[in-house]
Amino acid sequence: MIGSSLEAVIFAFNEQLPIFYSKSAKPFRFDYLSPDLDLSYLKFEDSKTSLKTIDGERTVGLAKTSLWERLVFIMSLNGQMPLSNLCTSIRFDGENFIFSDEYAKLIDVEFNKCYYFGDDACVDFFSDVDTSNFVCYDWIAFNRGGKHEIDYIKTNDDFVSEIWFYSSDRIDGKTEVKDACAVSYLLKEQVTDFNYSETMARFKLVHEMESRGMKGKFNGYGPNGRPKHYRFRTSCISRRVERSPQKDQVQAEKVENPKISEKDLLEVLPVCSEKYAKILKYL
């Protein structure tokens, strides 16, 4: 099986298939599962988390990254990840898959049937893909005004559509200072347009916060007796742009695009996890 998205990993786990990929497609840091999903059979304890929003609290379940990492760990112990992260390119010659790193071929794999969930380094066996839609992650530091209780803001725009606040990774230890990640859904031409750049993302993030009544650090009182606050001060940490998740349409014999959703895969996960009882009992 080729692919490393959460869907791909769950599918390989359920079917006990070997999994190959060139780059791990770990879920976004702030993607969560349903809070009603019980994952105790994978040795996860109560995984519900309450996020504070402008409109009240929002309850989410386990972070998808945690599930992805747990399943990958179990499959590694079970021998289902023969190349781990050593591969950088995947080629199909009509009969076999050829896996290579930057310097040389690693292995030829002969197979009867392959399930393909997508991999940017695959060549020669799928049709042209749609590269018109992208997801953009702007990681933004708060140099002033980062202390507040809000965890999440949802806007009504594709540009800075979601804002996730998190305890800053720039400061050692558990800190009350929060940085932010702004998620945008952009077209190909917008990715290189300054109006949708990381600078404009910073400005829009601050605008969305202020329009919802959020204020910076208290700065005393003005002559009219009203409280004053410093403006938010931000800076860019990094930007990551990715093609919107989609399954490439394969044009090759013996290679199949599974037509199954994440929801369907999660429904059979409890039963399929029984196959890994010898490993799970030690977690």
Side-chain angles (χ1 to χ4, degrees), residues 129-149:
V129 298
D130 179 12
T131 57
S132 60
N133 296 304
F134 293 84
V135 182
C136 179
Y137 303 98
D138 287 299
W139 299 88
I140 298 170
F142 276 82
N143 307 112
R144 187 167 64 196
K147 290 186 177 181
H148 54 80
E149 296 183 347

Side-chain angles (χ1 to χ4, degrees), residues 42 54 63 66 71 80 106-107 109 118 126 128 143 154 164 179 192-193 222 225 236 246 249 251 257 271 278:
L42 291 175
I54 298 296
S66 297
L71 297 182
Q80 291 173 238
L106 296 173
I107 189 175
V109 176
F126 57 83
D128 293 336
N143 307 112
K154 173 66 177 174
W164 295 91
D179 290 333
T192 55
D193 187 338
C236 296
Q246 57 184 309
Q249 296 303 309
Q251 290 184 334
N257 284 116
V271 175
K278 291 183 179 180

Side-chain angles (χ1 to χ4, degrees), residues 228-265:
K228 298 189 300 181
H229 297 268
Y230 287 108
R231 295 292 302 273
F232 293 108
R233 181 182 294 172
T234 61
S235 59
C236 296
I237 299 176
S238 64
R239 161 172 275 204
R240 189 174 87 247
V241 180
E242 298 179 351
R243 184 161 59 93
S244 295
Q246 57 184 309
K247 291 181 182 177
D248 304 327
Q249 296 303 309
V250 174
Q251 290 184 334
E253 294 183 2
K254 304 195 298 182
V255 182
E256 177 184 326
N257 284 116
K259 307 297 183 182
I260 189 167
S261 67
E262 180 182 298
K263 180 181 178 181
D264 294 334
L265 290 168

Side-chain angles (χ1 to χ4, degrees), residues 43-79:
K43 307 301 181 180
F44 285 111
E45 297 180 357
D46 185 17
S47 54
K48 294 182 181 179
T49 303
S50 292
L51 303 177
K52 292 185 178 180
T53 70
I54 298 296
D55 301 319
E57 289 195 351
R58 172 189 175 189
T59 302
V60 296
L62 182 75
K64 290 185 178 182
T65 52
S66 297
L67 177 60
W68 188 93
E69 290 170 349
R70 178 63 54 88
L71 297 182
V72 166
F73 175 68
I74 293 171
M75 287 193 293
S76 297
L77 295 177
N78 201 45

Side-chain angles (χ1 to χ4, degrees), residues 26-32 63-65 137 139 166-169 240:
K26 186 183 293 188
F28 175 50
R29 176 175 176 175
F30 302 113
D31 280 345
Y32 296 95
K64 290 185 178 182
T65 52
Y137 303 98
W139 299 88
Y166 61 95
S167 180
S168 177
D169 298 332
R240 189 174 87 247

Side-chain angles (χ1 to χ4, degrees), residues 54-267:
I54 298 296
D55 301 319
E57 289 195 351
R58 172 189 175 189
T59 302
V60 296
L62 182 75
K64 290 185 178 182
T65 52
S66 297
L67 177 60
W68 188 93
E69 290 170 349
R70 178 63 54 88
L71 297 182
V72 166
F73 175 68
I74 293 171
M75 287 193 293
S76 297
L77 295 177
N78 201 45
Q80 291 173 238
M81 305 190 70
L83 292 182
S84 184
N85 61 348
L86 300 177
C87 174
T88 58
S89 69
I90 305 171
R91 184 166 60 86
F92 182 56
D93 65 3
E95 291 294 331
N96 302 331
F97 275 118
I98 302 171
F99 299 90
S100 307
D101 63 10
E102 296 94 335
Y103 304 102
K105 179 174 68 175
L106 296 173
I107 189 175
D108 285 358
V109 176
E110 183 178 348
F111 64 97
N112 294 321
K113 187 174 185 179
C114 173
Y115 297 100
Y116 178 77
F117 280 83
D119 192 293
D120 290 340
C122 288
V123 295
D124 296 340
F125 68 97
F126 57 83
S127 59
D128 293 336
V129 298
D130 179 12
T131 57
S132 60
N133 296 304
F134 293 84
V135 182
C136 179
Y137 303 98
D138 287 299
W139 299 88
I140 298 170
F142 276 82
N143 307 112
R144 187 167 64 196
K147 290 186 177 181
H148 54 80
E149 296 183 347
I150 301 301
D151 297 312
Y152 176 75
I153 292 176
K154 173 66 177 174
T155 73
N156 296 318
D157 194 355
D158 286 340
F159 181 51
V160 188
S161 176
E162 296 177 292
I163 303 171
W164 295 91
F165 298 99
Y166 61 95
S167 180
S168 177
D169 298 332
R170 300 175 296 113
I171 303 172
D172 291 338
K174 186 176 181 180
T175 175
E176 295 181 356
V177 176
K178 293 183 178 182
D179 290 333
C181 179
V183 183
S184 303
Y185 302 94
L186 305 179
L187 299 176
K188 183 177 182 179
E189 57 270 18
Q190 293 174 329
V191 173
T192 55
D193 187 338
F194 179 76
N195 290 325
Y196 299 90
S197 65
E198 51 264 58
T199 299
M200 298 306 293
R202 281 199 302 119
F203 293 160
K204 191 167 190 298
L205 180 147
V206 172
H207 168 74
E208 295 292 347
M209 293 174 66
E210 292 178 340
S211 67
R212 288 166 172 77
M214 297 180 67
K215 300 181 184 297
K217 184 179 179 181
F218 177 68
N219 187 28
Y221 294 91
N224 57 4
R226 294 181 179 178
K228 298 189 300 181
H229 297 268
Y230 287 108
R231 295 292 302 273
F232 293 108
R233 181 182 294 172
T234 61
S235 59
C236 296
I237 299 176
S238 64
R239 161 172 275 204
R240 189 174 87 247
V241 180
E242 298 179 351
R243 184 161 59 93
S244 295
Q246 57 184 309
K247 291 181 182 177
D248 304 327
Q249 296 303 309
V250 174
Q251 290 184 334
E253 294 183 2
K254 304 195 298 182
V255 182
E256 177 184 326
N257 284 116
K259 307 297 183 182
I260 189 167
S261 67
E262 180 182 298
K263 180 181 178 181
D264 294 334
L265 290 168
L266 288 170
E267 286 180 355

